[in-house]
Amino acid sequence: MKANESVVLVGTKAVLVPYDVAHVPKYHTWMQNEELRALTASEELSLQEEYEMQRKWRLDEDKLTFIILARHEQDELASDINPTDPRLHSLPMIGDVNMFFNGTPDDFTAELEIMIAEPHYRRGGYATEALHLILRYATGNFFPSEGLHLAHTLPLRISVPSLVVRVGDTNIPSIRLFEKLGFMIVKHVKVFQEVEMRVCPASSL
C-alpha cells in the first residue's frame, strides 16, 4: 500500500517498516516452512514470484503490510525515523503484520493477520506490540499499551467495528492474543476449521 511507504512505527520492542524489496529473500525463506504456510494459508512461491508479490502488495490499495523488526537495546530510534535509515538495516526481521481491506463502503471489513516467523521471538511480546502499533496507525484509536510513540495516522481511518480476525480454531495462542486486545469469537466456521473474531462492543473506542 502506497499510503504507508514512508511510514515507520516505533514501539519499545518492535519496529514496523514497509515491506521492501530487500525483505523478500528472508520472507521467501520463511515461506519454505510448511507449518508457516499452513498457519498463514499461503501458497509456496518461487523467489521470482515472491518479488512480484512484493511489488503488487506495495501498490495495492486493499493491503496494508508492515515487516516486523526487533529493536536492539539502547538503539535510540526516534518516532520520526525514515524507512531508509541505515540503523533499521541492522535490526533482525522477525515477522509481518497485515490488514486486508474487503467489501464496499456499506459492507467493509479490515482483516488483521500477524506472523512471528522467527521462533526465538515468539511469546516475547513482539506480536502484541506489533498489533498495538498497526491498530493505532490504522484506526487512530489506542488499544491500550505503554511506551508507544507514533507520528502518523492513515488519511482514512479504519472504523473499529470493521476489524475482523480469522484464525484456526485450534490456534489457541493466537485466539488468546487477540482476546487480550479486546476481540472475541463471534462465529465458528466449522467447514474451514476457523473462528471469526471481532472487537467486543465494550472495547470499541
Side-chain angles (χ1 to χ4, degrees), residues 14-132:
V15 182
L16 307 190
V17 297
Y19 184 25
D20 190 70
V21 65
H23 300 129
V24 173
K26 181 73 168 180
Y27 192 89
H28 178 66
T29 299
W30 289 341
M31 288 298 101
Q32 301 308 296
N33 183 293
E34 185 175 352
E35 180 183 4
L36 285 179
R37 290 201 309 273
L39 289 172
T40 58
S42 301
E43 297 180 0
E44 186 173 5
L45 302 177
S46 69
L47 181 58
Q48 183 58 41
E49 288 172 328
E50 209 74 76
Y51 277 112
E52 292 170 1
M53 186 68 72
Q54 183 273 332
R55 285 193 291 270
K56 183 176 184 296
W57 281 32
R58 192 66 176 264
L59 297 174
D60 283 355
E61 291 303 316
D62 60 353
K63 299 177 183 67
L64 175 65
T65 299
F66 285 101
I67 293 295
I68 306 170
L69 308 178
R71 293 190 64 173
H72 295 315
E73 291 186 10
Q74 301 178 330
D75 55 26
E76 299 182 351
L77 298 181
S79 60
D80 59 352
I81 190 171
N82 189 285
T84 60
D85 192 300
R87 289 175 296 175
L88 295 173
H89 302 163
S90 68
L91 301 183
M93 177 176 162
I94 66 171
D96 71 336
V97 61
N98 310 287
M99 275 190 183
F100 301 100
F101 306 135
N102 303 293
T104 65
D106 294 329
D107 186 25
F108 174 82
T109 61
E111 185 170 350
L112 191 60
E113 292 185 355
I114 188 164
M115 172 182 71
I116 301 297
E118 295 293 330
H120 176 71
Y121 292 93
R122 293 173 188 163
R123 303 184 187 277
Y126 293 93
T128 301
E129 184 168 87
L131 288 167
H132 277 299

Side-chain angles (χ1 to χ4, degrees), residues 141 143 160-161 182 199-205:
N141 293 305
F143 288 70
V160 173
V199 177
C200 302
S203 300
S204 297
L205 301 176

